[in-house]
């Protein structure tokens, strides 16, 4: 099962809700001192002081979410709201150009 670990401030944000649905995450561990958090997500939420699961403890970083796979114990941190919309648009264009260049390079040299 994939478990999301994040700070309580992200709980009500639309991009977290979309991310959880898109990545088929079944439950979440929310780091918070308060127990009265509403659950707008359609998943099971565990409130605890630290971001920890299966003897792993993670450092909470603002606007980030950790996805932890309980089977493999692999995890990855996702960063949200690093850039303004204008910067995100520019970065997306650059990333697309880089990916196109990599694809052209691979296509050119894959026959060797």
């Amino acid at each position: 099962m994939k478990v999301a670990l994040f700070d309580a401030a992200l709980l009500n944000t639309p991009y977290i809700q979309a991310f959880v649905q898109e990545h088929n995450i079944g439950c979440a561990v929310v780091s918070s001192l308060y127990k009265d958090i509403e659950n707008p997500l359609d998943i099971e939420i565990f409130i605890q002081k630290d971001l920890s699961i299966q003897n792993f403890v993670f450092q909470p970083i603002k606007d980030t979410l950790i996805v932890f796979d309980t089977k493999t114990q692999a995890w990855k941190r996702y960063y949200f709201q690093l850039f303004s919309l204008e910067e995100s648009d520019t970065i997306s264009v650059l990333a697309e150009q880089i990916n196109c260049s990599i694809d052209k390079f691979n296509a050119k040299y894959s026959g060797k």
Side-chain angles (χ1 to χ4, degrees):
M1 176 188 346
K2 290 182 181 176
V3 179
L5 295 89
F6 52 89
D7 191 62
L10 290 180
L11 187 60
N12 295 319
T13 55
Y15 53 86
I16 288 296
Q17 294 175 30
F19 186 93
V20 167
Q21 291 174 354
E22 181 180 333
H23 288 80
N24 196 26
I25 294 171
C27 70
V29 173
V30 178
S31 172
S32 174
L33 298 177
Y34 305 103
K35 301 284 185 184
D36 59 347
I37 296 174
E38 289 185 27
N39 181 2
L41 306 174
D42 192 21
I43 58 174
E44 189 172 3
I45 291 184
F46 300 94
I47 309 292
Q48 57 192 36
K49 184 175 178 180
D50 299 315
L51 287 180
S52 62
I53 185 169
Q54 294 184 359
N55 298 323
F56 289 83
V57 180
F58 297 93
Q59 176 69 32
I61 298 175
K62 183 174 172 50
D63 290 333
T64 67
L65 172 144
I66 299 164
V67 175
F68 184 89
D69 190 323
T70 57
K71 288 184 181 177
T72 63
Q73 295 188 338
W75 61 275
K76 182 175 181 180
R77 187 183 294 267
Y78 293 87
Y79 297 83
F80 298 95
Q81 294 190 349
L82 289 178
F83 307 101
S84 69
L85 288 177
E86 294 82 13
E87 291 169 324
S88 294
D89 289 344
T90 302
I91 290 167
S92 296
V93 169
L94 289 173
E96 187 175 337
Q97 289 174 348
I98 291 169
N99 286 332
C100 286
S101 296
I102 291 171
D103 290 342
K104 287 178 185 177
F105 178 83
N106 288 336
K108 183 177 181 181
Y109 293 103
S110 64
K112 291 187 176 183

